[in-house]
Amino acid sequence: MVVTRRVEGTELKKILIIAPDLSVKGGVSSVVQSLMTEMERRGNRVKLYSTYVDTIHPLLRVIYSLFRIFSFVVRLQPFKYDVFYLHACAFGSFYRKFFYVMLLSLFRKPVILHQHAADLEIFLNKNKFNKRLGQWVFGASSKIFVLSENMRVITKEVTDNENIIIIENPIRIPEFARSDDAQPQEKVKFVFLGEIGKRKGIYDLIQALSRLTDEQRSSIHLDIGGNKELDTLTSMIRQYGLENTCTVHGWVDGDKKQRLLKEASVFVLPSYFEGVPIAILEAMSYELPVISTNVAGIPEIVLHQYNGLIIEPGDIECLKTSMLYFAENLERTKQFGHNSRLIVEKHDVPVVVDKILNLFENDTRNRKWRKEKVMKA
């Protein structure tokens, strides 16, 4: 039996989520899926309007995106919903969402823009066109949702819109607890989950492992889950002779991801660019301490020497010593993991959806009040 939960005083709504297709691998799809499921459980009518797919040829992706924009108007989507909830990143994603914001503005429909971009600052400062586009899109949005205080500051620099609200990245916190009397593992298991490539710092991680002595390496194992540059990664592991230290699993989700997180001791993600990574939040929900970098919103969830260690991007030596710190201090590792779970509680999906639906309700009430005021005048 599914229990439907409603926020006190809110009305059920027809919500159109405008975002990439759920088949697109990554954090945005994970967020959208979590939000949709929880909103539907509460009785809201929620539909996803897909703007992008990545399982077809790049040219066909462009054609698909243009067709979806055309179809949005032809099928009169702007007249069928109470809330238009757009999810955007940077570059191609931002350009696509511009057309939807423009169309909804022409129909005088409000836009809730949820900004996920890890590289938002780079995008906005790349050229005058991008900055002007950002000013227009942010200015035309009824509310702007961002993931962190860092992203709020970046957004604030290009818009006068005061409705910039931090929405914590949602995850489903598992009913899981690490047992204090669990048998110690033969090796300290580190886990990396994310896109395989330079941006997430996976190659720095392999180099850090290569700098360990044979004795140090004998007590450590790294599980790697991710997609994209798998051939480059496996070649690098062979080059450094780390085949017995690293296991590459490819893309993982569902039960396999849960198993890796349950078996791990420490999560590591030495990224160069991020927003607030879902992978870190999920790891924290499994009571893992985190090694990550001082970029974007990460230091807002990974507190140095409380639930993890924060290093500078590209500092391979510091990455190595951070891994050794946890490998050699197992009691501190457990305490940091416990602290991770405490921090991540506010990211639980029901808590985040409560916040979002209240904001939707306030936005609806304000629009009704303004409309009534105009009619009376």
Side-chain angles (χ1 to χ4, degrees):
M1 177 179 176
V2 176
V3 178
T4 300
R5 173 181 175 179
R6 288 185 58 187
V7 183
E8 186 70 26
T10 61
E11 298 178 3
L12 299 179
K13 296 191 176 299
K14 293 182 290 184
I15 302 166
L16 185 66
I17 294 180
I18 301 174
D21 192 80
L22 294 181
S23 64
V24 178
K25 293 181 174 67
V28 176
S29 294
S30 174
V31 167
V32 170
Q33 181 68 75
S34 296
L35 295 179
M36 286 183 65
T37 301
E38 184 65 25
M39 289 175 180
E40 287 171 343
R41 284 182 62 194
R42 299 168 187 227
N44 296 283
R45 177 186 166 194
V46 186
K47 180 180 177 182
L48 173 69
Y49 191 85
S50 169
T51 61
Y52 175 76
V53 292
D54 65 354
T55 54
I56 55 179
H57 188 277
L59 179 60
L60 293 178
R61 295 176 199 174
V62 175
I63 295 172
Y64 175 87
S65 297
L66 292 174
F67 171 77
R68 295 298 284 173
I69 293 169
F70 174 76
S71 178
F72 185 76
V73 179
V74 170
R75 296 169 68 178
L76 299 177
Q77 297 288 356
F79 298 102
K80 298 178 180 179
Y81 296 89
D82 304 311
V83 178
F84 298 90
Y85 185 21
L86 281 69
H87 291 258
C89 291
F91 295 97
S93 174
F94 202 94
Y95 297 143
R96 288 189 293 272
K97 298 310 182 300
F98 161 76
F99 289 103
Y100 290 93
V101 175
M102 180 179 65
L103 290 168
L104 289 167
S105 296
L106 289 174
F107 288 105
R108 299 192 177 184
K109 299 295 180 180
V111 170
I112 309 287
L113 182 72
H114 198 141
Q115 179 56 248
H116 298 264
D119 47 358
L120 179 62
E121 188 171 22
I122 294 173
F123 169 75
L124 293 172
N125 293 321
K126 185 175 180 63
N127 52 55
K128 290 182 179 179
F129 174 78
N130 283 3
K131 181 166 285 189
R132 186 65 58 86
L133 200 68
Q135 291 171 344
W136 192 91
V137 170
F138 294 144
S141 298
S142 173
K143 284 183 171 60
I144 305 166
F145 293 169
V146 295
L147 307 182
S148 65
E149 177 61 25
N150 173 266
M151 289 181 68
R152 192 192 72 81
V153 171
I154 292 169
T155 306
K156 186 69 177 171
E157 288 177 353
V158 298
T159 183
D160 294 328
N161 191 334
E162 296 291 336
N163 291 316
I164 306 173
I165 302 150
I166 296 174
I167 297 293
E168 290 76 13
N169 247 350
I171 59 165
R172 187 71 64 179
I173 295 181
E175 295 181 2
F176 170 80
R178 293 187 182 273
S179 174
D180 291 334
D181 57 0
Q183 292 297 317
Q185 295 180 334
E186 182 180 344
K187 293 188 176 185
V188 177
K189 286 194 172 184
F190 292 79
V191 61
F192 169 100
L193 299 175
E195 180 182 290
I196 305 302
K198 179 177 173 57
R199 182 172 78 86
K200 296 284 187 177
I202 182 61
Y203 303 134
D204 292 347
L205 184 52
I206 299 304
Q207 289 188 61
L209 287 172
S210 74
R211 295 185 184 185
L212 298 175
T213 65
D214 289 343
E215 182 180 356
Q216 290 168 338
R217 205 179 300 152
S218 67
S219 64
I220 287 174
H221 189 83
L222 173 65
D223 285 300
I224 303 169
N227 59 342
K228 300 257 174 116
E229 299 175 13
L230 291 170
D231 289 342
T232 303
L233 175 63
T234 53
S235 175
M236 189 175 185
I237 290 171
R238 285 196 300 269
Q239 175 189 342
Y240 286 112
L242 297 173
E243 294 93 333
N244 294 327
T245 305
C246 303
T247 301
V248 180
H249 298 272
W251 179 262
V252 296
D253 53 17
D255 292 341
K256 187 169 184 179
K257 180 167 70 172
Q258 292 174 18
R259 179 177 60 79
L260 289 177
L261 291 172
K262 286 179 179 179
E263 294 176 355
S265 303
V266 183
F267 184 80
V268 56
L269 190 74
S271 294
Y272 285 78
F273 302 104
E274 284 292 355
V276 177
I278 289 291
I280 286 182
L281 295 171
E282 289 178 335
M284 289 169 61
S285 76
Y286 280 86
E287 297 183 39
L288 293 179
V290 178
I291 300 171
S292 196
T293 49
N294 186 27
V295 297
I298 292 176
E300 296 177 35
I301 57 171
V302 180
L303 309 183
H304 188 64
Q305 287 290 352
Y306 179 73
N307 72 308
L309 298 176
I310 292 291
I311 66 174
E312 292 295 323
D315 191 337
I316 296 170
E317 189 64 24
C318 193
L319 179 56
K320 181 194 83 171
T321 57
S322 296
M323 296 180 75
L324 287 175
Y325 175 85
F326 284 120
E328 296 168 357
N329 294 276
L330 298 183
E331 286 304 314
R332 185 61 63 89
T333 299
K334 289 181 181 178
Q335 182 59 53
F336 279 21
H338 175 73
N339 295 342
S340 280
R341 180 66 177 241
L342 295 177
I343 291 173
V344 85
E345 293 290 342
K346 66 180 180 180
H347 292 264
D348 199 16
V349 174
V351 176
V352 176
V353 169
D354 279 351
K355 187 174 181 179
I356 289 173
L357 291 180
N358 271 320
L359 289 166
F360 286 174
E361 182 66 19
N362 292 339
D363 192 61
T364 303
R365 287 175 180 170
N366 289 337
R367 282 188 283 116
K368 286 181 178 177
W369 177 82
R370 286 194 296 268
K371 184 176 180 180
E372 290 170 0
K373 186 177 180 181
V374 170
M375 291 177 67
K376 288 179 180 179

